[in-house]
Amino acid sequence: MLRDLFSIGNDKISDIDLGKIPEHVAIIMDGNGRWAKARGKARTFGHQVGAETLKTIVKVASCVGVKVITAYAFSTENWKRPSSEVDFLMDLLGRYLTNEIEEFNKNGVQLRFIGSRKGLPTWILRKMDYAVAVTERNTGIILNLAINYGGRNEILHAAKTIAAEVAAGQLNVDNIDTNIFEEHLYTKGLPVPDLLIRPGGDMRISNFLLWQIAYTEIWTTDIYWPDFTQEHFIEAIKAYQCRERRFGGL
Ligand code: FPP
C-alpha cells in the first residue's frame, strides 16, 4: 500500500514496523545554502527546493502514521542573515501558506506554528493565523512550523509567564512541575519528539526544542535537505526502530 502511494522500493519499506512509528518527528532542515552553492545557484534557491522537500516528507510521514512533524523553518538567529535572504524566506513562507492550504485541507493536514510572534511582519502573522484557523478541524498529521523560534527564547517565555502567574496569585510555586512547565511552552498539548532528524552533516541542536528533546533519538545524515527523499525518511524511521529507549532507566 505504501509502496503504491510513494513508489518506495519494496526493500526499503518491507522491514518498517508500522506498530512502532515515532509519534512526533522534529526536523532541522539544514543544508539548503550549500546545496544551492554546489549547483552554482543562489542560496535562496536551496530554500525554495527545501520547501518542496518538506511537502514530500509530510506526505510520507502521514502515510506511515507519524502524528506530528515539527520543522525548523526560521530561527530567532536567522534574522542575522542578509536582509535579502530573510525577505526571501518570509515571502516563501507566505507563498507556501497561500498555495498549500487547499492541499493541506484535502489531505487532512493541521497547521500549527511555534515561535515568537514579536518581530514577524503583520502580513505573515495574518497568513499564519488564517492557515491555523482553516486547518484546525483537520484530523490528520500536524505540521508544526517553527518560525522565529529559539529554544532558549521559548524557555524564557515560559519562565516569565509562570513568574507572572505566581505574582498574580494564580499559581502556587510548589505546584510548578514538568507538566505545568510544558503547558507554558509553545508546544503545549503536543507530545515531545521521539525522533529528531538533522540533514546537512552538522552534529548540533542549533537551539531547537531544547526542553522537548531531553530523551529524543537523534538521526543525522550528510545529505542536504533539498536532496532528502522519502527513502531517507524511511531510513531514519528504521534506525529509530532499532534504538533501545531507556529514558534514563535500565
Ligand atoms: C537552514 O539551511 C535552513 C533554513 C535557515 C531555512 C529552512 C527553510 C526552508 C527549508 C524553507 C521554508 C519552509 C517553508 C515551510 C516555506 P541553511 O541555509 O543554513 O543551509 P547551509 O547550512 O547549507 O548554509
Side-chain angles (χ1 to χ4, degrees), residues 8-198:
I8 300 173
N10 190 30
D11 54 322
K12 300 265 194 246
I13 58 158
S14 56
D15 46 350
I16 192 173
D17 179 353
L18 291 176
K20 204 178 162 192
I21 296 292
E23 197 178 3
H24 182 172
V25 179
I27 306 176
I28 299 177
M29 304 184 287
D30 196 24
N32 298 339
R34 281 167 288 163
W35 179 90
K37 198 175 163 209
R39 283 158 182 77
K41 306 262 192 195
R43 293 175 49 78
T44 48
F45 181 60
H47 298 316
Q48 195 177 317
V49 177
E52 294 302 313
T53 302
L54 182 59
K55 286 198 256 173
T56 307
I57 297 310
V58 170
K59 273 192 211 155
V60 67
S62 167
C63 205
V64 297
V66 170
K67 300 277 184 283
V68 186
I69 289 277
T70 296
Y72 210 178
F74 192 87
S75 76
T76 43
E77 286 69 37
N78 287 152
W79 296 108
K80 290 186 235 162
R81 296 190 176 199
S83 61
S84 55
E85 186 168 335
V86 170
D87 291 349
F88 183 90
L89 282 167
M90 290 297 149
D91 276 352
L92 183 63
L93 174 65
R95 270 183 278 136
Y96 194 80
L97 296 181
T98 305
N99 299 338
E100 298 308 319
I101 294 292
E102 201 180 316
E103 193 69 9
F104 287 150
N105 280 335
K106 208 167 84 191
N107 295 309
V109 179
Q110 198 187 122
L111 211 61
R112 295 204 198 164
F113 295 95
I114 54 169
S116 173
R117 292 172 68 90
K118 275 188 207 144
L120 285 174
T122 313
W123 66 269
I124 272 285
L125 290 172
R126 271 203 214 109
K127 278 180 187 277
M128 286 162 57
D129 292 343
Y130 178 75
V132 169
V134 296
T135 63
E136 74 183 348
R137 276 182 218 91
N138 291 341
T139 53
I141 193 167
I142 295 173
L143 172 57
N144 189 34
L145 289 177
I147 309 280
N148 198 18
Y149 175 87
R152 288 177 173 175
N153 184 291
E154 178 183 36
I155 292 169
L156 271 179
H157 175 264
K160 283 183 184 172
T161 315
I162 289 172
E165 286 174 19
V166 170
Q170 295 158 354
L171 188 61
N172 186 328
V173 173
D174 294 332
N175 292 339
I176 301 171
D177 58 11
T178 51
N179 288 332
I180 295 276
F181 201 86
E182 283 175 1
E183 278 171 22
H184 291 78
L185 293 172
Y186 296 132
T187 48
K188 176 185 172 181
L190 294 176
V192 291
D194 302 293
L195 172 64
L196 169 67
I197 296 176
R198 178 163 193 150

